[in-house]
Amino acid sequence: DAKTTQPPSMDCAEGRAANLPCNHSTISGNEYVYWYRQIHSQGPQYIIHGLKNNETNEMASLIITEDRKSSTLILPHATLRDTAVYYCIVSGQSAAGNKLTFGGGTRVLVKP
Amino acid sequence: EAGVVQSPRYKIIEKKQPVAFWCNPISGHNTLYWYRQNLGQGPELLIRYENEEAVDDSQLPKDRFSAERLKGVDSTLKIQPAELGDSAVYLCASSLDHGTSGFNEQFFGPGTRLTVL
């Protein structure tokens, strides 16, 4: 699986959009980009995933560059409850299921 | 719907003692994962089960770690004997895999925080 690079931490103001970058320059054609987050003292939680098209759900939007070497997770209106570690993961899909290889993630602190 | 249940939530033991963690996955989920998460790092996969079969245990330290998933539902992860470096959070996750290529969301439990003294 391709490796990802994320900033170790970032702050965001409550109510503003949070843009979380992720570099995955060695991503291959059949690998997806996944985002999970982990709130303190909880297990990771799935947010969104995509292959090459931009994706949006009730939690966030995922913007993938045309060359697929980087992506941005957007939390449109950050709340205090969005304070968490956000993990960007690149992995292929297979009949055996998805293997998630977590990196260090980005620690996001939403401030009032 | 109940999520992934793990117990205990916290465990403190002395080194060289045995310890066991229990996981009850979401009902109907055929795939179960055990991860270890060291402080300040992301989770690392230890073992993955498809029903009762361990299909990926390449990262499981087999000299002291063992796992089982009898009847393809609940699972137990054991460490014997525990070492100081085993202090970590042990996470269980489950997913419903349909046997074809496609996305299978992993649902995580709250984890068991192990402290080895």
Side-chain angles (χ1 to χ4, degrees):
Chain A
D1 294 334
K3 183 179 178 180
T4 62
T5 303
Q6 299 177 253
S9 64
M10 63 182 295
D11 293 346
C12 176
E14 185 180 19
R16 305 295 289 270
N19 298 305
L20 283 62
C22 179
N23 287 323
H24 31 79
S25 59
T26 61
I27 192 170
S28 60
N30 64 345
E31 289 185 313
Y32 283 69
V33 180
Y34 301 89
W35 284 84
Y36 278 73
R37 74 178 183 184
Q38 187 172 23
I39 295 171
H40 183 63
S41 295
Q42 298 183 22
Q45 173 193 24
Y46 165 78
I47 301 173
I48 198 168
H49 76 288
L51 182 62
K52 49 186 174 182
N53 297 322
N54 298 336
E55 302 288 344
T56 296
N57 62 21
E58 65 278 4
M59 290 182 68
S61 295
L62 175 60
I63 309 298
I64 303 174
T65 58
E66 191 169 345
D67 63 7
R68 303 211 319 125
K69 293 185 177 182
S70 65
S71 60
T72 301
L73 179 75
I74 301 173
L75 307 177
H77 305 287
T79 71
L80 299 180
R81 287 177 292 182
D82 291 324
T83 292
V85 178
Y86 288 76
Y87 296 99
C88 171
I89 302 164
V90 170
S91 178
Q93 292 188 356
S94 69
N98 313 121
K99 180 174 181 178
L100 301 179
T101 301
F102 290 82
T106 296
R107 188 172 299 273
V108 174
L109 176 61
V110 180
K111 297 182 175 180
Chain B
E1 179 182 328
V4 176
V5 179
Q6 291 188 248
S7 68
R9 288 296 312 277
Y10 304 91
K11 187 73 175 179
I12 301 174
I13 62 172
E14 294 188 345
K15 62 181 181 182
K16 301 184 182 180
Q17 294 300 305
V19 65
F21 315 122
W22 175 79
C23 173
N24 180 235
I26 292 174
S27 177
H29 281 193
N30 53 349
T31 303
L32 183 145
Y33 313 76
W34 282 103
Y35 290 83
R36 177 171 59 189
Q37 185 171 25
N38 292 314
L39 188 63
Q41 300 180 20
E44 298 174 285
L45 180 68
L46 293 174
I47 189 169
R48 176 166 63 91
Y49 282 93
E50 288 186 8
N51 298 304
E52 62 275 8
E53 181 183 0
V55 296
D56 184 356
D57 63 355
S58 57
Q59 300 303 311
L60 188 72
K62 297 180 182 63
D63 56 337
R64 297 183 299 107
F65 286 66
S66 65
E68 61 182 12
R69 191 184 184 199
L70 300 176
K71 300 182 181 179
V73 182
D74 295 1
S75 178
T76 303
L77 178 68
K78 298 179 182 178
I79 308 175
Q80 183 172 11
E83 298 179 352
L84 296 177
D86 295 331
S87 294
V89 175
Y90 291 83
L91 293 160
C92 179
S94 70
S95 66
L96 178 59
D97 293 346
H98 302 284
T100 59
S101 61
F103 171 63
N104 303 302
E105 180 180 346
Q106 291 187 28
F107 295 82
F108 286 79
T112 296
R113 181 176 297 276
L114 174 67
T115 301
V116 182
L117 303 176

